[in-house]
Amino acid sequence: MNQATENQFRIETEEGRYAEAYLLLGKSRSDLDILAERMAGIWLQEKNPSESPDFFLLHPELLGVQGLRVSHITLRDDDGPCLETALKNKPAHPLGRRAVILAHADTMNHDAQGALLKTLEEPPYGTLLFLTATGLSSILPAIRSRCRLVRVPTRGAEELARQAAAMGVAPKDWEILQSACGGGEAAMGLSLEAR
């Protein structure tokens, strides 16, 4: 899945042509989440980047919110996860690298995006940011202009059907899911419980 995108990023990293921020744009939120974590793993040279102290993930679903808020970006009164706090510590990585994923950036309100601009303008040395989105219309132009846009191709119908079957979804149920969700990518993006 998205092997070409991963390979391109690996080459950019090896050649020192990487960007400081990437905006991964695609139709399936779950595929984008997986790709962002794999790219973070390439950057950190870790098979399981989520286990690294230099990996920071802000994901609305894991935080129980509809979209990331200002308090997730800049330090506020509450003590929840905060990008600004995470970036204060020096990376433990031998090369001084850190990877940050801001999932579902297209659900962030404008205030949160505004707060993110400072970090995007001057990210700490060695820190790469990966934003994911299924659309660009709600993302501020200033955010878009500071990220390297990576359009993640959709998977073919046959590949999606094979993946659904491997997950135990019967062919008839797969047809119903696709119809209800408006396509295979959206259906595959549902959580197991929702399916």
Side-chain angles (χ1 to χ4, degrees):
M1 167 179 64
N2 299 306
Q3 193 66 40
T5 304
E6 289 178 49
N7 289 339
Q8 179 64 35
F9 178 70
R10 184 174 281 110
I11 291 167
E12 289 173 4
T13 300
E14 290 169 358
E15 295 178 353
R17 296 183 296 114
Y18 53 86
E20 292 174 328
Y22 288 84
L23 176 55
L24 308 177
L25 181 67
K27 293 194 180 223
S28 168
R29 290 205 187 276
S30 60
D31 284 354
L32 292 170
D33 292 344
I34 292 167
L35 179 61
E37 189 164 333
R38 287 184 179 171
M39 290 174 74
I42 292 168
W43 177 245
L44 295 173
Q45 301 168 340
E46 296 274 351
K47 287 188 180 191
N48 298 312
S50 62
E51 296 175 6
S52 169
D54 299 313
F55 175 82
F56 186 68
L57 170 66
L58 283 174
H59 196 298
E61 289 177 7
L62 298 176
L63 296 169
V65 296
Q66 293 294 319
L68 298 178
R69 302 178 189 145
V70 172
S71 61
H72 296 121
I73 307 301
T74 58
L75 191 57
R76 294 287 190 242
D77 293 333
D78 58 14
D79 56 356
C82 173
L83 177 62
E84 186 177 77
T85 302
L87 295 179
K88 283 184 180 180
N89 300 323
K90 184 178 178 184
H93 191 278
L95 298 175
R97 292 182 176 182
R98 177 181 9 235
V100 174
I101 297 176
L102 301 171
H104 308 188
D106 51 335
T107 64
M108 293 173 68
N109 64 34
H110 286 176
D111 291 338
Q113 290 183 51
L116 178 61
L117 277 175
K118 182 179 180 207
T119 303
L120 286 173
E121 289 168 353
E122 299 174 16
Y125 178 78
T127 298
L128 258 60
L129 291 104
F130 300 95
L131 287 71
T132 67
T134 57
L136 290 175
S137 62
S138 63
I139 297 178
L140 295 174
I143 297 280
R144 292 190 305 234
S145 70
R146 287 167 175 80
C147 297
R148 182 174 294 169
L149 182 63
V150 177
R151 293 187 186 274
V152 179
T154 59
R155 292 174 283 169
E158 290 176 8
E159 182 182 348
L160 288 168
R162 277 194 302 273
Q163 187 177 359
M167 296 167 75
V169 180
K172 188 68 176 170
D173 292 339
W174 178 241
E175 288 179 29
I176 294 168
L177 273 172
Q178 288 184 89
S179 178
C181 295
E185 290 283 344
M188 195 56 69
L190 292 174
S191 67
L192 184 59
E193 297 80 33
R195 267 188 243 127

